[in-house]
Amino acid sequence: QVQLVEVGGGSVQAGGSLRLSCTAYGHAYSNNCMGWFRQAPGKEREGVATITIDGDRAVYADSVKGRFTISQDNPKNRLYLQMNSLKPEDTAMYYCASSSRWGKDCWSGGWDYYNYWGQGTQVTVSS
């Protein structure tokens, strides 16, 4: 059974930092793509950053480029998202996701390309 578990969310002031971690249990980490997505109240789910399982290609949303870094520790089956210089508009529920599908790019495939999801962790940034 595939399970993704996120930790690391919380409340910070603008300009602060948080590090999200996602541990993959089961066979999730043998999948092709891993990514972080977020959804704010009343808004659609959006991609934050995705990475190929071999780490060759990481892609970021324009809104987080230069502030967020996605990384992975394959032996530990962990995915990370380091978030620096946080802004109030980063406030959302953040989800770790994995895709066992093949044939599409990890980023351009969109959130529905991902078939395994964590429960989410809340990030709140106050001004």
Side-chain angles (χ1 to χ4, degrees), residues 20-99:
L20 306 183
S21 297
C22 171
T23 302
Y25 300 93
H27 298 291
Y29 227 81
S30 61
N31 294 340
N32 180 36
C33 301
M34 296 292 293
W36 290 98
F37 296 79
R38 67 186 182 187
Q39 189 166 19
K43 294 188 176 181
E44 292 188 356
R45 191 175 310 185
E46 63 175 359
V48 177
T50 61
I51 190 167
T52 52
I53 204 64
D54 58 9
D56 275 354
R57 175 170 159 80
V59 180
Y60 298 89
D62 287 344
S63 59
V64 307
K65 279 181 183 175
R67 300 188 297 122
F68 290 12
T69 303
I70 188 171
S71 62
Q72 56 193 358
D73 184 341
N74 286 354
K76 294 184 179 179
N77 285 358
R78 283 201 187 133
L79 183 73
Y80 302 101
L81 185 68
Q82 178 66 43
M83 305 185 294
N84 298 328
S85 302
L86 282 159
K87 303 176 180 180
E89 51 263 44
D90 294 319
T91 295
M93 185 72 79
Y94 283 70
Y95 299 91
C96 170
S98 171
S99 177

Side-chain angles (χ1 to χ4, degrees), residues 107-118:
W107 177 261
S108 61
W111 67 263
D112 56 355
Y113 185 57
Y114 290 73
N115 50 342
Y116 298 108
W117 291 85

